[in-house]
Amino acid sequence: VEAEAPSRRWSVQAQKSVQYEIALIDGLLERGHPLLGPSPRPGPARRFVIVDEQVGRLYGGAIRDYFDRESVHCRIFPVAVSEKAKTMDQVSAIAHAVDSFGIDRYREPIVAIGGGVLLDLAGLAASLYRRGTPYIRVPTTLIGLVDAGVGVKTGVNHGLHKNRLGSYFAPCVALLDRRFLATLGTRHIANGLAEILKIGLIRDRRLFDLLDQHGQLLLSERLQGHSAVSDAVAIELLDRAITGMVDELRPNLWEQELDRLVDYGHSVSPTIEMLALPHLLHGEAVSIDMALFTAVAQRRGLLCAAEANQIFRTMHALQLPVWHPLLGRKVLARALAETVQHRGGRQRLPLPAGIGSGRFVNDVAEDELFMAAEELRDLRGPTCLAG
Amino acid sequence: VEAEAPSRRWSVQAQKSVQYEIALIDGLLERGHPLLGPSPRPGPARRFVIVDEQVGRLYGGAIRDYFDRESVHCRIFPVAVSEKAKTMDQVSAIAHAVDSFGIDRYREPIVAIGGGVLLDLAGLAASLYRRGTPYIRVPTTLIGLVDAGVGVKTGVNHGLHKNRLGSYFAPCVALLDRRFLATLGTRHIANGLAEILKIGLIRDRRLFDLLDQHGQLLLSERLQGHSAVSDAVAIELLDRAITGMVDELRPNLWEQELDRLVDYGHSVSPTIEMLALPHLLHGEAVSIDMALFTAVAQRRGLLCAAEANQIFRTMHALQLPVWHPLLGRKVLARALAETVQHRGGRQRLPLPAGIGSGRFVNDVAEDELFMAAEELRDLRGPTCLAG
């Protein structure tokens, strides 16, 4: 008989509070923001500003002018961004640059200005630097404004896996300025409208209707509101999209609840997007995924044919794809398996149930998914097969 | 006059609960633990087990036997550990290996078995993998048992900076087994006793007395308790050291309070340790730092000469250094500046105020530090100058 060995237990319990603001501000680089600079500390204020290369080219002068006016000594650090370059090595390079500039992390938040990839990279660097350094998110793309920019996720790709390494790390503030969208290409506007469409489809019929009725105008005007009407539409669109996103995020900031409506459009798309690199933008892969599960929802009677067609027509008007040659049986099976693994062993697939609300299903067969994909291929016509 | 631009604000507030257990278990690989395996899920249980190379050599067979007995399919992944190899590249390699094994992160916690460097690396990998994958800490060194193993910090070195990148990420459980210490070299036992001495000096006079009275026996028996008396001493030592550490950590898990008593011994040592690589173990650098601020405390009248000498004698008996040739004026100034930057612009230097309690000071001059260092050099004698 084994003698009872000494044993002793301790328990550690703690609560961490997270709080951050999101502010929609037109003309940020003219109007400024207290957290952006100047610093309240005595002595010269300093800011380390991470920008993506394109933002550096287009807005580097305006960013520098802003900090000059505020008497803030800034270092602008441009980062090459692409899904291929979204790596831990880039995070490491950012950390080296922060080291060489030297910041007081309690008074000098890192500023990140750029698209989704830049915000993910800079957010992860800030999250890791000294185990957490405050940072400010300034998204410059539409997808950044309504998605990456308002949440707390950071990440890099690893191997063939999208965002396989990352963290949940809230910014001190997210500053959203649609004026940056003026220099964005149409395809990147469509890319962001895909995530807005997602929010519309799963929880906000009015938001869907705005896209359905004004999609082409929003695309062509880049949400700049050239008329009073289109301005009101652009503002309501952003307001509803961000409100919807924040309402879904707030009770589930760390994604402990695995049934997430905002995962609509994100079930098979992570695999498709990585396999298609660099040909699909994130929102395009999301659109293909939303179309696929719209077809599934229609097959299950959750959407009638008219609703499904209205969704496909809206995607078409927004110049978003509804199908991709990668949607074969084998890739779909693999993508579904990876999602099940990621979601704790269940599918947890959000489907639109009528336009503007969603529900979860856990019993989609591989065959059902493949049949739905085939319907989408027919919808696009055989020319798409060339990819 | 600028027209009022549209603006809108959202606020996100959330609370994250963290909870984990620490269990002291003699003979873990014989007695097992429910979280270590087998998995409660139907089907074969699986565990990805990260070990340091030395632990793999010494305990690989015993670890494999344990999982075999529990019918757990395990992959043992050995990692080379040293301060020089404590890099993000190693974290990346661990993530690749987890990918290739494939785990269900909701049911198959990663298991990390090794010293402080291994636990820091594996903890960071777990923290980043899919933005957080549960893991179990099994420290195999004394410093791991009383320090790295019981807290929530993870990290890698970056550039010349110790733990410059990392996270706070609690394990699901920390399983502490002093039986691993039986194969540890004396120098590594002393390395851990340095962190225990720290807890004694700043908050537990009885713990200091145990080290003062039984230091050499603890060193030579490696806390294995070859007699009833030395066993009781070893167990009380671990119990008090862990209790002290946990009591200091619990209210300040994310280090939001910057006045930290457990930073005693960690004020100039991060710089010294990195500059001296690979010649000083962490606990040795901590001991040098504790000696330095013991001398400062004595100069300020917080310790009498008898107390300071008793501290130095105990360090000596534990085979811990009290001085290092790097303690020159320039390095001390730089180390202090880095610590001030790390601690939000103030020194926040914990000093022993009598043996067993601490207090913070913020006004130590570079000269005062250098004079204290010179006193320590004299204490060790000129032979130390060779380094």
Side-chain angles (χ1 to χ4, degrees), chain B residues 323-338:
Chain B
W323 185 78
H324 190 277
L326 276 168
L327 295 190
R329 199 183 285 270
K330 213 165 146 185
V331 169
L332 285 172
R334 174 179 149 195
L336 190 60
E338 290 195 7

Side-chain angles (χ1 to χ4, degrees), chain B residues 182-216:
Chain B
T183 51
L184 217 57
T186 307
R187 189 177 169 200
H188 285 271
I189 299 290
N191 188 43
L193 292 176
E195 292 282 4
I196 298 177
L197 178 60
K198 174 185 83 175
I199 298 292
L201 288 175
I202 48 121
R203 58 164 282 151
D204 185 346
R205 169 86 209 200
R206 163 80 184 154
L207 184 56
F208 173 81
D209 289 341
L210 286 173
L211 286 170
D212 187 36
Q213 288 155 32
H214 307 281
Q216 285 175 332

Side-chain angles (χ1 to χ4, degrees), chain A residues 15 17 99 130 164 342, chain B residues 15 17 99 130 164 342:
Chain A
Q15 291 259 321
S17 291
D99 266 334
R130 293 181 185 273
R164 180 54 51 96
H342 191 64
Chain B
Q15 291 258 322
S17 292
D99 266 334
R130 294 182 184 270
R164 180 54 51 98
H342 191 64

Side-chain angles (χ1 to χ4, degrees), chain A residues 23-33 138 145 174-182 222-226 230-232 234-236 238-239 242, chain B residues 2-10:
Chain A
L24 192 62
I25 300 170
D26 266 20
L28 175 67
L29 295 179
E30 292 80 52
R31 292 150 56 90
H33 187 276
V138 183
L145 247 67
L175 303 172
L176 315 182
D177 179 4
R178 68 179 163 137
R179 293 305 167 205
F180 286 112
L181 308 181
R222 296 170 166 71
L223 281 74
Q224 299 305 296
H226 295 162
S230 69
D231 198 43
I235 289 166
E236 185 181 356
L238 287 176
D239 195 328
I242 296 163
Chain B
E2 192 186 2
E4 187 57 24
S7 84
R8 174 93 156 80
R9 277 162 209 288
W10 295 260

Side-chain angles (χ1 to χ4, degrees), chain B residues 39 51 62 88 97 106 114 150 152 156 200 207 232 245 260 284 286 313 321 350 365 371 376 380:
Chain B
S39 159
V51 300
M88 198 53 93
Y106 298 101
V150 301
V152 301
V156 294
L207 184 56
M245 192 68 188
R260 300 172 68 242
E284 292 169 345
V286 167
R313 267 202 324 273
M371 304 283 270
L376 294 177
R380 285 296 305 269

